Amino acid sequence: MTLLLSATLASALAQDAVVVPPPSLAADPVRPDAFSRHTSVVPDTRKFSGQRAILVASHVRDPLVFRPAGSDEVIAIVGPVWGMTGGLAWSNGPIAVAATLPAQFAIGSDLHDDRPASALGDIALDGRFVGLDATSAPVGVSGQLRLTAPLGGGDQYMGQPGFTWELLAVGEVTPASWAICAAIGTRGVPEVEIPGQSLDDLLVYRLAVSHALATGGLTGEFLGQRQYQGFVDDPSNSPLEVLLGGWVDLDEDERHTLRGALGWGVNPGIGSPQVRVLVGVGSLTP
């Protein structure tokens, strides 16, 4: 759910005119984490050795909408999106690297009657260093860097117009069968001008709480970001989202995992959807 654009778009829609799209922007800032085994998006501080592959199917409804002033109408600039994200990670001791690539197979919109579009998202390269492992230390600590490069999804509002970077500091505690993980950092993005506002660099913060059960567990994740420009009084590029889900270990040595989550946006912000569904599998090879 989002407030976006200006009376220019409202006027064009009311007259059935051709809408000139704004510069490309990423309507969905959420990407599955390739290092974590239990949570869907929030990173953890746990080492692993070998290669980990993930494949995550996703459905996101209305991450980018426009609400005309004085009207209850909601116009989905980006409506239902069906996609898949693949990722491959490699780790040796405290150092890990990964690559993830999302593909959107169907991108709906209220702006036209054409069949749903498709697009590749931005490819991401991640690096992680675990200073303290939460499974062996009272407090887990890690740092994570992400670099992304555009692959052409910008014309469907699903990719950035240029390179981006994100740096996160991650802390984790594991009392009994619980795990609490918090991450805070910054994301650098190309500045995008749209009518009435500017989209720019952001503060990123995330929180996850998980509870292990016999052969799996339950998770709750909170995802947020806040644009530095207009930090206090402009929530339009500052989405908040909740994800509730869990994981199931598919074998006794916990090398193959099924995980999933159901989420929704809790405020109006670019990328804050009505509904998000994630279902994926992960496999660890020594």
Side-chain angles (χ1 to χ4, degrees):
M1 294 170 286
T2 258
L3 302 171
L4 183 64
L5 305 187
S6 67
T8 305
L9 178 55
S11 174
L13 290 170
Q15 298 171 15
D16 249 352
V18 174
V19 178
V20 178
S24 60
L25 57 90
D28 186 8
V30 172
R31 184 186 296 251
D33 187 81
F35 300 128
S36 172
R37 187 169 66 88
H38 296 159
T39 52
S40 292
V41 178
V42 178
D44 62 21
T45 65
R46 305 181 183 205
K47 300 175 187 176
F48 66 92
S49 295
Q51 296 81 42
R52 173 172 288 153
I54 64 167
L55 188 63
V56 182
S58 62
H59 171 65
V60 185
R61 185 160 190 88
D62 298 353
L64 187 65
V65 305
F66 172 67
R67 303 174 187 276
S71 171
D72 294 332
E73 183 181 12
V74 177
I75 300 168
I77 300 171
V78 176
V81 180
W82 297 88
M84 188 85 71
T85 297
L88 182 63
W90 173 87
S91 179
N92 184 13
I95 298 174
V97 294
T100 56
L101 177 64
Q104 290 83 32
F105 304 121
I107 307 170
S109 176
D110 289 343
L111 299 185
H112 52 71
D113 295 327
D114 299 338
R115 70 177 191 174
S118 60
L120 284 176
D122 297 339
I123 188 171
L125 301 177
D126 293 336
R128 183 180 76 160
F129 179 81
V130 177
L132 295 172
D133 189 321
T135 61
S136 58
V139 178
V141 177
S142 69
Q144 197 159 313
L145 173 66
R146 170 173 292 166
L147 303 174
T148 67
L151 287 182
D155 58 348
Q156 301 296 335
Y157 307 95
M158 295 302 293
Q160 293 284 2
F163 291 89
T164 73
W165 59 271
E166 179 179 288
L167 182 63
L168 290 177
V170 185
E172 183 178 6
V173 294
T174 56
S177 58
W178 294 84
I180 303 170
C181 191
I184 189 167
T186 189
R187 180 184 299 140
V189 300
E191 184 175 3
V192 174
E193 297 288 343
I194 61 176
Q197 65 186 126
S198 176
L199 309 182
D200 210 338
D201 298 347
L202 309 113
L203 173 74
V204 178
Y205 51 96
R206 296 169 185 153
L207 175 68
V209 178
S210 61
H211 179 57
L213 302 173
T215 58
L218 303 174
T219 60
E221 301 178 60
F222 179 78
L223 316 175
Q225 61 184 40
R226 191 92 188 173
Q227 183 169 295
Y228 296 117
Q229 182 177 329
F231 191 88
V232 175
D233 56 358
D234 183 7
S236 58
N237 195 27
S238 303
L240 300 174
E241 185 173 344
V242 171
L243 286 170
L244 301 177
W247 78 93
V248 175
D249 295 319
L250 301 179
D251 51 13
E252 292 185 357
D253 56 5
E254 302 179 352
R255 293 193 178 277
H256 301 90
T257 305
L258 173 67
R259 64 183 182 181
L262 171 66
W264 61 92
V266 297
N267 79 327
I270 296 172
S272 186
Q274 285 189 355
V275 174
R276 182 186 306 277
V277 180
L278 299 173
V279 179
V281 293
S283 178
L284 176 63
T285 303

